[in-house]
Amino acid sequence: MDRPVKARYPGGPGAMSKGHASQTPVMRQYTAAKEAHPDALLLFRMGDFYELFFDDAVVAARVLDLTLTARNKGAPDEVPMAGVPHHAASTYVQRLLEQGFKVAICEQMADPSKVKGIVPREVVRVVTPGIAYDDTGLESRENHYMVSVERATEGAGAYGVAALDMSTGELSACEAEDLAGALAELARLDAREVLLGPGAGPIASALSETRPRAAVRAVGETMIEADADRALDAQLGAGETRASCPSAVARRAAARCVTTAQACEAGRALPISRLVFHSPGEILALDEATQGHLELVRSNDGGARGALLAQIDLTRTAPGARLLRRRLLAPLAGVPEIRRRLDAVELFVAQPGLRRELRDRLSEVGDVERLAVKLALDRATPRDLVALRRSLTELPAVADALARCPEPSARETLGIPAGGPWLDDCAELCALLAAALADEPPPRAADGGVIRDGFDATLDDVRDLMRGGQRTMVALEARLRDSSGIPSLKLRYTRVFGWYIEVTKTHVDKAPRDWRRKQTVASGERFTSVELDEIADKLAHAEERAATREAELFTKLVRDLAACQERLRAVAARLAAWDVACTLAEVAHRDDWVRPDVDASLDLTLVDARHPVVEKLAASGRFVPNDVSLGAESGRPRLWLVTGPNMAGKSTLMRQTALCVVLAQMGAFVPARSAHIGVVDRVLTRVGASDNLSRGESTFMVEMKETANVLRGATRRSLVVLDEIGRGTSTYDGLAIAWAVAEHLHDAIACRAMFATHYHELTGLAESRPGSCENWSVSAREHAGDLVFLHKLQRGPASRSYGVACARLAGVPEPVLARARAILVDLERGDGSPGGPVSPMHGRSREQRPQLDLFDGQTRGPPAHHPALEALRAVEVDRLTPLEALQLVANLKRMANDA
Ligand code: ADP
Ligand code: MG
C-alpha cells in the first residue's frame, strides 16, 4: 500500500470497523467502496450531495469548513458525516487536491427514480493532486505534471524521472545521473505530485524545502523492469517503448506514471500515445538555483511579473504558452535543432504581414490540445465542442496564410513535408460540428437543446411532438381563461408538482367543479384537470424521448470526434510551435533583438547586450548596453573578474549574459546587437549570501553548498556566473574561499566564467594569468561626494570600493560618514588601527601581505625547485615511522628557514 509522506491520505480500513455488523445496505456499499480506496477521501453520491463519512468526514469538515453532522445521530451506530452539494463538487475537490489529498468519486450508476431498491454505486474516478479534476484545477498556460522518480538498481546513483500531464496526454522521461540532476529536473517540471519509488528517499527531504506545493508520496513496492515494459507496451503499443526510451530506469518511472493514472481512471483508455525520452546531453542543464537566480519563470518575490517569461510570453494560444514555458526551462544543447528553431523565428521576423495574420487567427483558436484529451476521456461539454468548432473554423485561413508566404524556403523551415498540406484542416470534423451542434448550446448536455435542428430525423420528429405539446399547452391556457372567466389564470410547471392551473385567491370561487385541487398556497389555489393531465403526459413523454435521443446523439458526436484525437493533437502541436515562433519574432521585433550565431565553438561574444527585463522595467529607456567577450579556447579570456561599487550593475551584467545563452539555446533571438554563442552544456549561476533563513540553514552554508555544486557540475563547456561568493563569512575566510574558487574555475575547469566580487585583492589573480583572466569593472563616478552610476563596463579593476559614497547614497548620517572617511584614509595610509582592532592586512603594502595563492604553487607560490619541495617529493609516506616523520618535519623547517 502507498505510504503517505507529505500528503495526508487519511482513513483506512480500521476506521470502518465500527458499526460494521448493523450496517444498512447503503452503508455496506459505502464500506466496500472505501475498502477499495483506503488512501483516498471517498465522496459518496447520495441524491444531490456527495457525502463523506467517518474519519473522511472529520477531515473534510476541517479542510473545507463544512458542518460535521452525523448519520443516525444519537444512536449507538452514529456515524460522523459531512456533505457537499454535487453541483459545487468541482470547487471542493479542487481544495482537497490543493491540500495534497487524494479523492475517490463514487457515483450513483442509475437514476434513483427508475430503480427499485438500492441504487447501484461505483467509484468512477480517483483524482490526485497530480491529476486535476477539471479545468478549475488547471492553469491554462502551464502544464500540470504528475512526476515519478525511480532509483536505478544497478550502476551508480542514477535516477529515472518521468512526467505525465494527464490534461494533455504528454508523457516524457529522462535519466538523471545523480541526485542534483534529478532535483533540477523536478524543479523544471514544477510537479503538483511526486511519486517516489524505493530508494528515492533523499529526494523527499530536498523537495519538502523547495517545492512546497508538490504533494510527495513514497510508493513502497519496486517497479520491476519487466512489469514496467509490459505496462508501457500495453499503453503505447508493443515494442515501441524500448526503441523510444533506452533507459530502463526512465521506463520504470514512466510506467509508474501510467499505472497510477490508469488506477485513477477506472477502465478508461488513457489518451497517452507516446513516451518522449530526453537523453541527458540533449538539454541545457539549469539547476534549481540557476532557474531561480535568473528569474526565468518567477521573479525573486515569487510572482510572475518581473520574470523573463512574462516579458516574452506574447503567445496567443494556451498550448503555445505551455510550449514557450517548457522551452524556456529546457533550452537545447544541440546546435542543429537550435538553428532549426531560430530559422523559424527568423522567417516570421522577415515576414511581418504573415506574422500578424497568423497571430490574429491564433487568437481565435482555443486549447485544442486539452479539448482533444477531454474528448478522449469523455469529459467534453457542449461548450467545449463550441470551442473546438470555433478553433477548427480558423484552420483553413491559417493554412492559407502560410501558403501565401512568398519565402520559398518557408515550407522547409517550418518542417512541412514537400507536397503535404500546411495543416490538416480537419474539414470533415468541422463540418460535423457545424451540422450537429446548436449555435449556443447550454453548458451541460443534460439541459437539452445541444443538437441542432435538422441534424437527426428522429430527434426532429420528437421535437415536433414536444413543440406541438407546448403549443397545445399555450392554446389550452387561453381556452381555460375564456371558459372560466379568470383573466389572471396561468398554466405553470414545476419539477416536483408537474403542470397545474394557477388561480389567485380572488377568483378561486370561479374554478369549475371538474377541476381537481392539487395544492393550496398563500396566493391562491393550484388545480389540475383531465385534459391538462393528458396533454402534460404527452408532453412529458415527448420531452423524455427528445432528451434520450439527444443524449445518444451527443455521445456519438463526442465519440466520433474522439476517434480523431490524434489528428487534433497533431494540429494543436503544429499551431503551438508556430505560435511560439511568431511570439519570439514579435518580441525580437518589439525589443530589437538579434539572431544569435550558435555553433560548437567555446566562444561567447555579445555586442551591446542588454538585460531583457531590467531594460523594460527598472531601467526603462536608460539602459546602458555592454559588450562581453569570453572564450574557453586557449589564448582567449575565459574568466572575467568584475568589480565596481554596489548598484553599479555587476549582477545585471552577469545575468544578462547568462540569459542571452538561455534565450539563444531555447531558439530565441537575444537582446544584443550581435551575438556569437558556442553552445553551452550547463549554465550555473550562484549569488552569494542569498537569504535562505526560512530553510533553517545559515546563508553561508547554503552559499557554500551551492558553490560546491557549481564546482562539481561545471565542465569546460559550461558557463559559470558567480556573484559575490564568499560574502557570508569573515573577510579572510571569504577572500580565501573566493580566491580558491576563482582559481579552480580558471585553472582546473577552464570554462567560460564571470565572477563579480567586492574583494579587491582578487583582482590580482588576473595579473598572474594574463590573457585568460581579465579584470573588468562597471564604472561609477564620484561627483561632489555623490556616486553617479554610468553602468558602463571598462577594462581593469575598479579603482576603489566606493563603499562610503554608497553609504551616503543610502542615507547613513553625515557624522558617521565623516568618521568612516577618516578611518579609510588611515587604513589606506597604513597608519594602524584607529581606535580598535582592524584587519591586520591593511597597513601593509601589497608585497608584505601574505600569499593568497592558496592551493596551487605554480604562479605565486614557492619556487618549483625549492630544496624542501625536493625532499618532500622523495618521501615515501607509507614507510615512515612516527619518529622519522617527526625528524622529517624538523628538517623541512630548517630548509624553509635557510631559503
Ligand atoms: P550591483 O550588482 O553592481 O550591485 P545591480 O546589477 O544589482 O548592481 O544593478 C543595480 C541597479 O542598477 C539595477 O536594478 C538597475 O536598475 C540598474 N542597472 C544595472 N545595470 C544597468 C545598465 N546597464 N543600465 C542602466 N541601469 C542599470
Ligand atoms: Mg549585485
Side-chain angles (χ1 to χ4, degrees), residues 361-374:
R361 294 290 171 191
L362 289 172
S363 303
E364 303 299 317
V365 174
D367 195 339
V368 177
E369 189 179 33
R370 280 184 174 161
L371 286 171
V373 167
K374 280 195 202 173

Side-chain angles (χ1 to χ4, degrees), residues 247-561:
S247 156
V249 70
R251 287 202 306 276
R252 281 167 45 212
R256 176 87 69 190
C257 283
V258 168
T259 52
T260 306
Q262 277 165 345
C264 288
E265 290 294 349
R268 277 184 207 88
L270 299 187
I272 305 168
S273 52
R274 252 187 311 282
L275 169 58
V276 178
F277 177 70
H278 305 289
S279 60
E282 214 174 282
I283 285 173
L284 168 63
L286 299 166
D287 58 21
E288 171 149 38
T290 303
Q291 285 176 29
H293 293 154
L294 293 181
E295 302 180 280
L296 295 180
V297 297
R298 261 186 281 280
S299 69
N300 281 335
D301 61 19
R305 207 189 116 84
L308 178 60
L309 181 63
Q311 277 307 310
I312 64 171
D313 186 2
L314 306 179
T315 52
R316 292 287 168 89
T317 64
R322 295 194 292 267
L323 180 62
L324 183 72
R325 187 189 168 91
R326 281 204 301 277
R327 286 194 179 171
L328 178 59
L329 289 172
L332 300 171
V335 175
E337 183 59 26
I338 293 172
R339 287 199 180 145
R340 259 196 294 281
R341 287 189 188 172
L342 288 169
D343 287 343
V345 177
E346 188 170 348
L347 172 74
F348 289 117
V349 168
Q351 301 289 338
L354 170 62
R355 182 173 84 228
R356 200 173 314 117
E357 187 169 354
L358 264 188
R359 284 169 54 74
D360 284 351
R361 294 290 171 191
L362 289 172
S363 303
E364 303 299 317
V365 174
D367 195 339
V368 177
E369 189 179 33
R370 280 184 174 161
L371 286 171
V373 167
K374 280 195 202 173
L375 287 166
L377 290 172
D378 196 15
R379 287 197 186 115
T381 66
R383 298 268 164 98
D384 288 332
L385 298 195
V386 171
L388 184 64
R389 179 175 60 196
R390 205 187 55 233
S391 306
L392 298 186
T393 313
E394 293 297 322
L395 300 186
V398 169
D400 184 51
L402 284 161
R404 279 187 280 110
C405 174
E407 173 55 53
S409 63
R411 186 179 275 277
E412 198 193 332
T413 302
L414 298 180
I416 312 294
W422 285 91
L423 190 62
D424 172 2
D425 63 6
C426 301
E428 72 285 14
L429 300 185
C430 195
L432 174 64
L433 279 166
L437 192 65
D439 282 339
E440 288 176 27
R444 296 177 322 135
D447 295 338
V450 172
I451 302 295
R452 185 184 288 278
D453 280 339
F455 176 67
D456 176 70
T458 315
L459 179 61
D460 287 348
D461 286 350
V462 285
R463 273 186 177 163
D464 277 349
L465 282 178
M466 204 175 85
R467 285 172 194 147
Q470 283 160 352
R471 274 194 303 275
T472 317
M473 223 29 122
V474 174
L476 177 67
E477 187 182 61
R479 195 141 48 74
L480 289 177
R481 217 177 268 161
D482 276 358
S483 63
S484 65
I486 307 171
S488 59
L489 177 146
K490 285 192 181 74
L491 290 185
R492 288 191 185 276
Y493 174 84
T494 67
R495 217 157 64 89
V496 181
F497 284 102
W499 285 97
Y500 56 85
I501 305 163
E502 188 176 79
V503 179
T504 52
K505 260 189 196 139
T506 7
H507 301 291
V508 167
D509 49 344
K510 291 187 199 152
R513 202 147 300 139
D514 58 342
W515 289 5
R516 204 157 33 78
R517 195 176 300 252
K518 234 180 163 180
Q519 195 193 11
T520 306
V521 289
S523 58
E525 296 283 342
R526 293 173 173 182
F527 299 93
T528 183
S529 71
V530 178
E531 193 182 9
L532 176 63
D533 284 349
E534 263 171 26
I535 299 171
D537 239 28
K538 276 192 194 145
L539 186 58
H541 188 62
E543 277 169 348
E544 195 182 319
R545 279 176 60 201
T548 310
R549 182 64 188 160
E550 202 166 39
E552 282 167 18
L553 291 170
F554 184 73
T555 307
K556 174 150 183 347
L557 177 59
V558 168
R559 236 174 249 153
D560 289 349
L561 294 166

Side-chain angles (χ1 to χ4, degrees), residues 5 75 369 666 682:
V5 176
E369 189 179 33
M666 79 176 277
R682 49 186 61 191

Side-chain angles (χ1 to χ4, degrees), residues 614 618-619 622-624 645-652 791:
V614 175
R622 47 181 183 79
F623 195 88
V624 181
N646 248 329
M647 291 300 285
K650 302 182 292 297
S651 303
T652 307
H791 301 304

